[in-house]
Amino acid sequence: MTDTHRSGCPINLTLEVLGDRWSLIVIRDVIFGDRRRYRELLTRSEEGIASNVLADRLKRLVAAGLLTRADDPRHRQSVIYSLTEPAIQLVPLLAQMGAWGRRHAPASEELSIRAQLLEEGGHAMWDELMAELRARHLNASASSSAVLERLQAAYEEICASKR
């Protein structure tokens, strides 16, 4: 154990990387919103993250090995953030957090639908989603999967019904 960690407890170590107010929100937005550029993460955040906080969290997540950053070939001054394998492996944790939040917090219907579908789909759906994310972010081969499309379609359907 090094002096840089409070303890060697795996829960503590996880919280040291992800336990701030914004890190999991940024990862959530990259996973479920396919927001891979700074501007998308900033302007499409439901929670209204401040620009300086977002810049700091992106730096931290890259330093922690959860995101990579690469120059955007379409725009010289932009970068594209991609998930790494450790970030992709957060899908089950996010699914469980979403399920807990649906049961024990005043979650909105439209923002809960993805969590509901992931809970109902269980491990098989999580594995399918992780394979899809590996194909998108790590250029891994994957069988045809459309978990993200199904989750987005369900969200859009609920939003449309509320108009």
Side-chain angles (χ1 to χ4, degrees):
M1 183 170 64
T2 68
D3 292 335
T4 60
H5 301 291
R6 289 184 295 256
S7 79
C9 168
I11 294 171
N12 169 68
L13 295 169
T14 302
L15 287 173
E16 285 184 8
V17 175
L18 300 170
D20 65 83
R21 184 175 178 175
W22 293 103
S23 292
L24 283 174
I25 299 298
V26 171
I27 290 173
R28 176 206 65 190
D29 288 350
V30 175
I31 290 175
F32 297 109
D34 198 31
R35 300 171 193 164
R36 299 184 61 187
R37 291 168 182 82
Y38 177 86
R39 177 72 46 209
E40 295 168 337
L41 289 161
L42 181 66
T43 61
R44 294 174 53 206
S45 168
E46 285 88 357
E47 293 79 14
I49 190 168
S51 60
N52 62 324
V53 173
L54 176 59
D56 178 68
R57 288 320 176 275
L58 289 169
K59 286 178 191 170
R60 286 186 192 191
L61 292 168
V62 168
L66 295 173
L67 294 176
T68 59
R69 81 180 249 154
D71 292 333
D72 185 345
R74 298 181 316 180
H75 193 278
R76 278 190 3 222
Q77 296 175 329
S78 181
V79 297
I80 298 173
Y81 292 94
S82 296
L83 300 166
T84 63
E85 182 62 27
I88 291 168
Q89 290 179 18
L90 290 169
V91 165
L93 174 68
L94 291 170
Q96 291 291 342
M97 289 177 72
W100 187 92
R102 285 182 57 241
R103 282 195 283 290
H104 303 291
S108 69
E109 182 183 14
E110 62 273 12
L111 295 176
S112 296
I113 189 61
R114 292 180 185 108
Q116 177 184 337
L117 294 174
L118 285 168
E119 182 178 12
E120 292 169 356
H123 292 279
M125 183 180 238
W126 305 347
D127 289 343
E128 198 177 328
L129 174 55
M130 289 189 293
E132 189 175 332
L133 292 168
R134 286 181 186 105
R136 285 182 184 222
H137 292 265
L138 304 176
N139 298 319
S141 61
S143 59
S144 64
S145 173
V147 174
L148 289 169
E149 286 178 21
R150 292 191 314 245
L151 296 175
Q152 185 64 24
Y155 168 75
E156 290 172 5
E157 183 179 325
I158 288 177
C159 288
S161 73
K162 291 190 176 265
R163 288 185 197 142

